[in-house]
Amino acid sequence: MTKEDLRIVFMGTPEFAVETLQALVENNYNVVAVVTQPDKPVGRHQTEMQPSEVKKYSLEHGLPVLQPEKMKDPVFIEQLRSYNANLQVVVAFRMLPEVVWAMPEYGTFNVHAALLPQYRGAAPINWAVINGETETGVTTFFLDHDIDTGRIILKKHFPIPDEADVEYVYDGLMHLGAQICLETLDAIIAADGHPDSIPQDDSQFSILNSQLKSAPKIFKETCQIDWTKSAKQVYDFVRGLSPYPGAWTTLVTPDGKETVLKIFKTRKTGNPCQQTGALKVDGKSLLVACGDEWLELVELQLAGKKRMKATDFLNGMKQVGESRLK
């Protein structure tokens, strides 16, 4: 089998997926069509329609684009079948019904931004950083009935430095995901469509007495900081949500006024504290009391304001030391 023989349908939506699609195009793989999310209304009056990043790239490179509202729509199914794909590649897309993922003769594989079976779910990059992992990676696996549980083809590891935020890890895995996709395709071509793959084994975590961690979708409520947790846990939580969607808390001023405050960067101090949520000004530093230690707030954003350094925040905010976070 050659690259030309392997007819590929690519499925993806955000910037993360564009890197892999670009790698396929620039390395002359035979991408016959692209499936992405429908355009979304944006703007104040929701009258302007915004295409996905994958759609933008696809149109720029003359690739046919399908945008089904529902993946089981009979019209879409017939359109998809008309491209006679041997294989489908999925990166950062929605769940697929069996009628879609089982359609090609060589199946459908997904590029997942974690080391499966760890961090199955919609937000694996965020949760790996939030949980203080020192390593993550990417995995390619064949889609099956249950989400992120199919047979694993390849894995690649990626270190997470202690100071790294989710943007750093996102960028690293975006490039690594494109690389592992090409290697997976080459393995499929070399094996005439049937590369070696292994089933995921959840039982190994029970044997090793370790925890199998999930990566559920993140909502606004998920991003609220719990100051009763340790400084290390809060530190990891903040960088796991920075710069987007951003960890947040509520600033309560001495007069009882409450304002939402986003925190983008913190620094560990190692100094013990009391009174969880209390604020303290130490020279030009702004500190908050966590469950065990003071944590320095380095970059933050008041509701309706721009992101700023804590030093600038202190210059424009009176009675900070008498305020608290909850």
Side-chain angles (χ1 to χ4, degrees), residues 6-9 85-89 104 106-109 142 185 188:
L6 188 63
R7 295 174 60 83
I8 299 169
V9 166
N86 311 105
L87 180 74
Q88 292 172 157
V89 177
Y106 301 140
T108 300
F109 78 80
F142 285 114
L185 286 172
I188 289 172

Side-chain angles (χ1 to χ4, degrees), residues 237-255:
F237 186 79
V238 168
R239 65 194 184 99
L241 295 168
S242 179
Y244 183 83
W248 64 274
T249 186
T250 301
L251 174 68
V252 184
T253 56
D255 59 4

Side-chain angles (χ1 to χ4, degrees), residues 124-273:
I125 305 177
N126 298 92
W127 285 108
V129 181
I130 288 171
N131 289 334
E133 304 288 0
T134 58
E135 181 182 62
T136 185
V138 288
T139 304
T140 52
F141 68 97
F142 285 114
L143 264 61
D144 207 334
H145 290 93
D146 297 320
I147 187 168
D148 299 337
T149 60
R151 295 179 65 89
I152 291 174
I153 310 167
L154 292 175
K155 286 185 183 183
K156 281 187 173 294
H157 295 250
F158 182 83
I160 304 178
D162 183 65
E163 70 279 4
D165 61 17
V166 76
E167 184 175 44
Y168 171 90
V169 182
Y170 179 99
D171 289 344
L173 295 187
M174 182 170 66
H175 297 298
L176 197 61
Q179 183 181 337
I180 198 174
C181 181
L182 298 185
E183 293 182 15
T184 301
L185 286 172
D186 289 345
I188 289 172
I189 291 170
D192 289 327
H194 303 285
D196 291 338
S197 60
I198 59 173
Q200 296 187 40
D201 182 12
D202 294 2
S203 65
Q204 63 178 303
F205 294 93
S206 298
I207 295 171
L208 297 173
N209 197 29
S210 59
Q211 184 182 2
L212 188 61
K213 301 170 185 174
S214 61
K217 187 175 181 179
I218 289 176
F219 298 95
K220 180 182 178 180
E221 296 75 22
T222 315
C223 302
Q224 184 173 11
I225 300 170
D226 180 358
W227 297 108
T228 66
K229 293 190 174 182
S230 71
K232 174 65 166 66
Q233 287 175 309
V234 175
Y235 172 82
D236 292 335
F237 186 79
V238 168
R239 65 194 184 99
L241 295 168
S242 179
Y244 183 83
W248 64 274
T249 186
T250 301
L251 174 68
V252 184
T253 56
D255 59 4
K257 183 180 178 181
E258 298 187 355
T259 308
V260 172
L261 183 69
K262 281 193 172 184
I263 311 294
F264 294 101
K265 188 174 181 180
T266 64
R267 184 178 295 119
K268 291 171 285 185
T269 68
N271 299 322
C273 67

Side-chain angles (χ1 to χ4, degrees), residues 78-89:
E78 288 308 308
Q79 285 180 317
L80 185 63
R81 188 173 283 116
S82 72
Y83 287 99
N84 297 313
N86 311 105
L87 180 74
Q88 292 172 157
V89 177

Side-chain angles (χ1 to χ4, degrees), residues 21-95:
L21 178 58
Q22 180 177 339
L24 298 184
V25 171
E26 292 182 352
N27 285 276
N28 301 313
Y29 289 89
N30 187 14
V31 180
V32 297
V34 172
V35 181
T36 190
Q37 295 276 39
D39 295 359
K40 290 186 176 182
V42 295
R44 184 176 180 182
H45 301 291
Q46 300 284 286
T47 54
E48 182 181 348
M49 300 302 289
Q50 180 173 293
S52 72
E53 294 301 315
V54 162
K55 180 180 180 180
K56 292 177 186 177
Y57 179 87
S58 300
L59 294 180
E60 289 171 0
H61 292 81
L63 299 173
V65 176
L66 304 179
Q67 296 178 275
E69 291 283 351
K70 297 181 179 180
M71 298 302 292
K72 292 184 178 180
D73 181 354
V75 174
F76 164 68
I77 297 298
E78 288 308 308
Q79 285 180 317
L80 185 63
R81 188 173 283 116
S82 72
Y83 287 99
N84 297 313
N86 311 105
L87 180 74
Q88 292 172 157
V89 177
V90 179
V91 183
F93 196 53
R94 64 173 101 171
M95 287 184 64

